[in-house]
Amino acid sequence: MSTDKQISTESSMDLGVHKNDELHPEHSDDYLREGERWATEHDLSTMRRVGDRLPVAAFFVVLTEFCERFTYYGITGPFQNYIQNGYKVPGSRPGAINGGQHLATGLGNFFQFWCYLTPILGAIIADQWLGKFKTILVFSVIYIIGDLILTLTALPSSIRHGGALPGVVIAMITIGLGTGGIKSNVSPMVAEQYGRYRPFVRTLKNGKEVLVDRELTVQSIFNWFYWAINVGGLSAIATTELEAHVDFWPAYLLPTLMFVVCVIVFWLGRKKYVITKPTGSIVLKAYRVISHGLRNFRMAKKENRLVLNEDGTKVTWLEYAKPAYSVDGGSVDWDNKFVDELSTAIRSCKIFLCYPVFWLCYGQMSNNMVSQSGQMNTGSVPNDIMQNIDPLCIIILIPIFDWVIYPGFRRCGLELRPVTRITIGFLIAALAMAYAAIIQHIIYTKPPYYDAAGDGNNGFNDISAGIQVPGYILIAISEVFASVTGLEYAYKRAPESMKSIVMSLFLFTNAGGSILAFCFNSIAANPHLVENFAIVSGLMGAFTILFFVCFRHYDKREAQEAEDRMLKDSNEKNDKPIVSEEY
């Protein structure tokens, strides 16, 4: 990043965050604007908490994510029909490859798995060599290559000569690699643009004072980040209409062109971003720390030299990796702080263990529920347009949650902490799958094709696809509670040096959902779809209970940690400069 004056700020905890302090004071928390003062201990316990305004740089990153998701959902929206149905078959749904529902669902699950496996590679590259900004740019080029492959192999001549299937497979691999490098870095990067850490009090225009809380600001950032994702997801409306009324190649050309816009937008914001330096190979270093800790722990246990904390509890096995607790006399290239950060990251990642089942539910929306709508009367619109009800609902719901529901709970003293929100989201996802099972049962009872509707050249049964709408609404609500909160939690609980890798591990749970989906592939077609949705619903319900039982204490611990952190920050005695409201 080119600036006139770059310094490493104290507020970024010497982690390589750079800023132009003359142009962008919002990149540091070491300032107050007019009408603001630092919070006191009394303020922390009595004042209403609110989120802060978002910096301009965050909007550039959000707009970039909108363009990338426009491309992603624009190309994936037609995938199920593109692979499942034949090309230009009279009286049939649009298609190209004629591979059937099994192949379409299987390739869709593979693509989703690949897209959420590659973020780990993107995180390693960003942390070790390039940093987030350059990594996003490099993987964007790979993404564009994949888009071009998909568009060119979707031309009529390519489809008729058998180029569509190898083309879509190569494009999936290439696009999946590109999106992985972007996803692991863009979400932590958007939150990094807000650099104010200390709690402060702001006087509103009506004279009332409110406590500006970083935790709520980060929560709001991820709400609006997810909102942008789903606005971009509406691109599938345009691409499925193009698929149905024109052809597949223009349906894929539109998102390809949008991604070029994505890269331009991201580049234009380069002078406004907070840019974090690469910190080295966190994965390899973490592996060495874990190995060292386990080895020292076993030696201490064998020699009966286990260490106790001040309260009498045993020191955890990982703490034996600290230089102070080393029992083998070897030197290490890390300090106690890194071990503590790694311990925090491992503890935080435990909460992700139940997410693969949630993503299994979510994945039904883009494959089996698309095929389900193909078995019903959709009128003059393509069957795969129904999945866009989900992003439409999220676009409406996120502002309501951010401005009304969450603040309303806080005013009543009933703040919804992360584990509570995630549990609610999991439960609603289970209900969505139960509803899909009921709908599928109703489809099978209707003429003229009963449990063979949509197979081969068969048409649809006598039932309106509008009955699917409540299922998509339930999925949207579950996303607001579970998916948005997961992104927020992965960022907030990850140590500064590990945000990309922890975010990539959260995204990897989506790949886990795709692996589970492969296990259901044998019943992901007629006449077994009722069992498919019912089993997924039951599995999600069981894991909802398991999740709450295992992690319900996390909310109380997080609330206490947040209170202690704010109290510590408010008690700092440093004099801070005041800057003007405009920046």
Side-chain angles (χ1 to χ4, degrees):
M1 182 180 70
S2 174
T3 61
D4 296 330
K5 182 180 179 182
Q6 289 185 332
I7 61 173
S8 179
T9 67
E10 179 185 4
S11 66
S12 59
M13 291 174 277
D14 295 326
L15 293 168
V17 178
H18 290 276
K19 71 180 183 72
N20 180 330
D21 62 342
E22 294 177 356
L23 296 178
H24 306 295
E26 73 272 22
H27 289 177
S28 168
D29 74 326
D30 292 341
Y31 71 93
L32 288 170
R33 301 190 187 107
E34 294 179 2
E36 297 176 349
R37 63 176 175 82
W38 297 120
T40 66
E41 184 174 346
H42 178 72
D43 296 331
L44 296 179
S45 59
T46 60
M47 277 194 177
R48 179 168 68 92
R49 295 185 299 135
V50 299
D52 199 2
R53 296 184 289 266
L54 306 187
V56 174
F59 287 104
F60 270 90
V61 183
V62 168
L63 186 56
T64 300
E65 179 66 1
F66 158 76
C67 295
E68 189 276 329
R69 291 291 91 182
F70 183 101
T71 304
Y72 178 86
Y73 287 109
I75 62 174
T76 56
F79 267 174
Q80 190 77 3
N81 279 353
Y82 186 71
I83 300 169
Q84 178 173 337
N85 305 321
Y87 188 57
K88 302 293 185 181
V89 177
S92 180
R93 302 286 184 184
I97 296 174
N98 197 29
Q101 186 172 347
H102 278 301
L103 180 62
T105 301
L107 281 178
N109 288 331
F110 161 75
F111 182 59
Q112 187 171 345
F113 166 78
W114 179 241
C115 283
Y116 290 96
L117 174 64
T118 53
I120 296 177
L121 175 63
I124 293 173
I125 291 175
D127 289 340
Q128 175 69 31
W129 295 291
L130 300 180
K132 297 182 184 67
F133 178 75
K134 291 181 180 179
T135 300
I136 292 172
L137 285 179
V138 169
F139 278 85
S140 293
V141 174
I142 298 173
Y143 202 124
I144 291 175
I145 293 172
D147 289 339
L148 290 173
I149 292 172
L150 180 63
T151 303
L152 293 174
T153 56
L155 292 168
S157 59
S158 176
I159 293 174
R160 292 192 177 97
H161 288 86
L165 181 57
V168 77
V169 172
I170 295 172
M172 282 181 170
I173 294 172
T174 310
I175 294 170
L177 181 61
T179 195
I182 295 170
K183 287 187 71 66
S184 60
N185 294 294
V186 72
S187 46
M189 185 173 176
V190 71
E192 286 173 356
Q193 305 314 303
Y194 183 74
R196 305 185 73 177
Y197 290 84
R198 294 183 59 197
F200 60 92
V201 174
R202 173 178 293 147
T203 303
L204 303 178
K205 292 181 179 179
N206 60 9
K208 293 184 178 180
E209 290 187 326
V210 291
L211 179 68
V212 180
D213 185 350
R214 176 178 170 80
E215 301 287 327
L216 297 184
T217 305
V218 171
Q219 179 181 333
S220 181
I221 286 174
F222 280 106
N223 277 334
W224 289 104
F225 181 79
Y226 206 79
W227 184 86
I229 288 174
N230 284 275
V231 173
L234 293 178
S235 62
I237 296 176
T239 56
T240 51
E241 285 289 338
L242 286 170
E243 154 214 326
H245 301 296
V246 185
D247 210 335
F248 282 98
W249 71 265
Y252 294 139
L253 178 62
L254 175 63
T256 300
L257 295 176
M258 176 57 83
F259 198 75
V260 175
V261 176
C262 167
V263 177
I264 294 172
V265 168
F266 187 67
W267 176 257
L268 289 175
R270 66 193 183 281
K271 292 185 178 181
K272 295 182 178 293
Y273 298 139
V274 175
I275 303 292
T276 56
K277 293 180 179 179
T279 55
S281 180
I282 297 298
V283 175
L284 297 178
K285 190 174 181 179
Y287 172 77
R288 295 199 307 272
V289 171
I290 291 172
S291 300
H292 191 76
L294 286 172
R295 183 169 61 252
N296 283 345
F297 174 72
R298 286 195 295 265
M299 290 177 62
K301 188 175 182 180
K302 182 178 180 180
E303 298 172 8
N304 198 26
R305 291 193 287 118
L306 294 175
V307 181
L308 300 180
N309 292 309
E310 293 181 358
D311 59 1
T313 59
K314 293 181 180 180
V315 169
T316 62
W317 63 269
L318 188 58
E319 289 188 81
Y320 283 89
K322 293 181 177 180
Y325 293 150
S326 182
V327 297
D328 61 3
S331 61
V332 296
D333 61 348
W334 58 82
D335 55 16
N336 290 350
K337 180 182 177 182
F338 183 83
V339 177
D340 289 335
E341 288 181 344
L342 181 60
S343 178
T344 299
I346 292 174
R347 186 171 66 246
S348 300
C349 287
K350 291 179 183 178
I351 207 170
F352 303 155
L353 293 176
C354 294
Y355 265 91
V357 183
F358 172 76
W359 295 123
L360 172 66
C361 296
Y362 175 82
Q364 302 298 308
M365 179 183 68
S366 59
N367 46 55
N368 287 323
M369 289 181 70
V370 171
S371 297
Q372 184 184 71
S373 61
Q375 300 167 359
M376 298 187 284
N377 186 357
T378 60
S380 59
V381 300
N383 65 300
D384 46 5
I385 204 171
M386 296 295 293
Q387 60 189 302
N388 291 285
I389 296 170
D390 171 73
L392 277 171
C393 290
I394 290 176
I395 290 169
I396 296 170
L397 288 172
I398 282 181
I400 294 174
F401 273 78
D402 196 48
W403 293 337
V404 180
I405 295 179
Y406 290 150
F409 273 99
R410 286 196 294 269
R411 286 191 179 96
C412 297
L414 299 171
E415 183 167 353
L416 297 178
R417 289 283 175 183
V419 169
T420 302
R421 280 182 273 152
I422 294 170
T423 302
I424 294 171
F426 284 177
L427 177 61
I428 295 174
L431 295 176
M433 292 300 99
Y435 183 81
I438 294 171
I439 297 303
Q440 192 65 50
H441 173 73
I442 295 174
I443 292 171
Y444 285 164
T445 63
K446 297 294 182 179
Y449 301 103
Y450 297 99
D451 61 3
D455 289 346
N457 293 326
N458 288 352
F460 51 82
N461 284 340
D462 186 19
I463 180 173
S464 171
I467 199 172
Q468 267 194 324
V469 172
Y472 283 111
I473 294 175
L474 288 173
I475 292 175
I477 296 173
S478 73
E479 281 187 76
V480 175
F481 278 112
S483 184
V484 178
T485 305
L487 283 171
E488 171 199 336
Y489 190 88
Y491 176 81
K492 289 198 306 185
R493 302 299 297 173
E496 290 292 336
S497 61
M498 303 181 188
K499 290 196 182 296
S500 286
I501 193 65
V502 172
M503 186 66 70
S504 70
L505 291 174
F506 171 69
L507 295 172
F508 180 71
T509 63
N510 206 313
S514 298
I515 294 174
L516 290 176
F518 281 117
C519 301
F520 286 82
N521 213 36
S522 62
I523 58 173
N526 292 327
H528 308 294
L529 285 171
V530 174
E531 297 97 305
N532 174 82
F533 291 124
I535 293 173
V536 172
S537 174
L539 195 63
M540 185 74 261
F543 270 82
T544 300
I545 297 171
L546 178 65
F547 176 83
F548 184 73
V549 170
C550 292
F551 300 111
R552 64 186 186 278
H553 63 284
Y554 273 38
D555 276 351
K556 184 177 180 180
R557 186 178 67 192
E558 187 195 59
Q560 185 61 51
E561 289 176 353
E563 182 179 341
D564 292 343
R565 185 165 54 250
M566 290 180 67
L567 183 60
K568 177 183 177 182
D569 289 340
S570 69
N571 287 334
E572 291 182 352
K573 302 300 183 181
N574 298 332
D575 294 329
K576 304 297 177 181
I578 298 179
V579 302
S580 64
E581 187 71 22
E582 297 182 1
Y583 49 87

